[in-house]
Amino acid sequence: MMTVLDGVVMELQDCALPLLREVIATDKEEVAFKDLDIAILVGSMPRREGMERKDLLKANVKIFKSQGTALDKYAKKTVKVVVVGNPANTNCLIASKSAPSIPKENFSCLTRLDHNRAKSQIALRLGVSANDVKNVIIWGNHSSTQYPDVNHAKVNLQGKEVGVYEAIKDDSWLKGDFITTVQQRGAAVIKARKLSSAMSAAKAICDHARDIWFGTPEGEFVSMGVISDGNSYGVHEDLLYSFPVVIKDKTWKFVEGLPINDFSREKMDLTAKELIEEKETAVEFLSSA
């Protein structure tokens, strides 16, 4: 793949990006991972037709074990690691477990694409800009069991901040089609363009990384897959689960004290159950990888 990578380097150079100093194309871990401040792990084994989820996990455990080990060996201990390659939550957990000298809190996985999808669906429904919608939440796994939650979301309508449920006035849409549209958006994109999300995924990675670096705006929170230890929402410890977080000084914190209704509780538990199963399968493979 090195020649393909050379083509990517040419494209990056041809963008004439003002902040780009240098690009190093390599297939050697000791070069790629050396002294990193941030690692964005986008490569994973994609699911092929007829492939069991278990086979997918097995192939990815191998990849993320080796990347975690390389991070542990070569990167700065302050490195921030963002996992994008799917199944992102469990891949991220495996990378973290394979890098014991790097704090667990430094590992996160991308659910910002789902977050942005939820935001834009609300904006489209109300005929406002996506910028006018804030504090949507993606709970759980970056899979079709994720729970897009707008119980705490706000929208700016003619300069006034209103709750999303109040603004939309259609609870059955919010509890039905809205949720399934966001959950299955990735599959819808693949069906339409015969390729998975590219530009929207890249934009979400930039949003995620920028927020880690520069923090979240006052009064706003974002969704991010992070280690569940110490959460107050009844989610099992030692899972890589998407939560609402605020970020300051490159450190994230759970958004605390959000009331959770029965509808939300059920959806949050369902996606946690899937993550527990994935984790158990992956950890089995990890010991033999």
Side-chain angles (χ1 to χ4, degrees):
M1 295 302 284
M2 279 307 292
T3 50
V4 177
L5 210 48
D6 290 338
V8 176
V9 173
M10 289 183 216
E11 282 237 85
L12 282 168
Q13 290 167 342
D14 298 350
C15 286
L17 296 160
L19 298 178
L20 186 61
R21 300 280 176 84
E22 188 186 4
V23 184
I24 299 165
T26 181
D27 57 0
K28 294 178 177 57
E29 283 183 338
E30 63 275 19
V31 178
F33 288 89
K34 187 153 178 54
D35 294 337
L36 291 186
D37 291 296
I38 186 163
I40 298 170
L41 306 181
V42 291
S44 66
M45 169 93 167
R47 193 168 183 172
R48 306 232 164 88
E49 226 169 300
M51 198 183 202
E52 292 287 324
R53 198 169 173 87
K54 211 160 91 167
D55 301 331
L56 183 71
L57 276 169
K58 191 172 187 176
N60 281 301
V61 163
K62 206 173 155 196
I63 294 169
F64 285 86
K65 183 183 181 180
S66 85
Q67 299 205 328
T69 306
L71 283 162
D72 204 52
K73 201 168 165 186
Y74 303 112
K76 291 179 182 173
K77 299 305 170 199
T78 52
V79 66
K80 304 292 185 192
V81 184
V82 183
V83 175
V84 179
N86 286 319
N89 299 57
T90 300
N91 286 347
C92 188
L93 190 65
I94 294 301
S96 172
K97 286 186 180 299
S98 306
S101 71
I102 296 167
K104 288 187 219 180
E105 295 73 29
N106 290 21
F107 286 80
S108 60
C109 80
L110 189 77
T111 54
R112 187 58 167 269
L113 178 52
D114 309 303
H115 179 101
N116 288 348
R117 286 166 171 163
K119 218 173 148 165
S120 72
Q121 286 302 310
I122 298 298
L124 285 166
R125 185 82 175 187
L126 290 168
V128 298
S129 147
N131 242 7
D132 292 322
V133 182
K134 69 174 191 183
N135 297 352
V136 303
I137 301 169
I138 303 296
W139 297 99
N141 199 1
H142 174 64
S143 74
S144 58
T145 67
Q146 61 173 268
Y147 170 44
D149 176 10
V150 291
N151 283 295
H152 313 285
K154 300 265 188 281
V155 58
N156 187 331
L157 291 180
Q158 286 115 29
K160 190 167 166 270
E161 217 171 68
V162 187
V164 163
Y165 267 83
E166 192 190 329
I168 284 186
K169 298 181 176 62
D170 185 345
D171 291 15
S172 66
W173 181 76
L174 284 169
K175 287 182 168 175
D177 286 353
F178 162 71
I179 290 175
T180 50
T181 298
V182 176
Q183 285 174 332
Q184 293 162 18
R185 187 67 160 188
V189 170
I190 291 173
K191 193 165 184 261
R193 55 175 233 124
K194 311 291 177 266
L195 291 163
S196 60
S197 314
M199 195 181 194
S200 56
K203 160 69 167 52
I205 295 166
C206 292
D207 290 347
H208 180 116
R210 189 191 57 237
D211 285 346
I212 289 176
W213 231 248
F214 300 108
T216 45
E218 194 62 45
E220 275 188 48
F221 49 78
V222 294
S223 307
M224 207 176 259
V226 293
I227 195 74
S228 60
D229 300 3
N231 80 86
S232 60
Y233 292 104
V235 176
H236 275 253
E237 303 270 296
D238 200 38
L239 286 181
L240 222 293
Y241 188 101
S242 181
F243 288 94
V245 298
V246 288
I247 305 163
K248 196 181 176 187
D249 302 328
K250 294 186 187 164
T251 306
W252 59 264
K253 283 196 174 84
F254 295 119
V255 174
E256 298 288 3
L258 297 172
I260 303 296
N261 60 29
D262 291 345
F263 179 82
S264 293
R265 181 77 269 161
E266 194 182 319
K267 296 255 186 268
M268 287 162 70
D269 290 348
L270 189 75
T271 189
K273 183 173 175 280
E274 182 182 56
L275 279 170
I276 291 165
E277 286 164 10
E278 273 188 29
K279 176 191 155 179
E280 283 168 358
T281 309
V283 168
E284 262 171 57
F285 291 140
L286 186 60
S287 50
S288 59

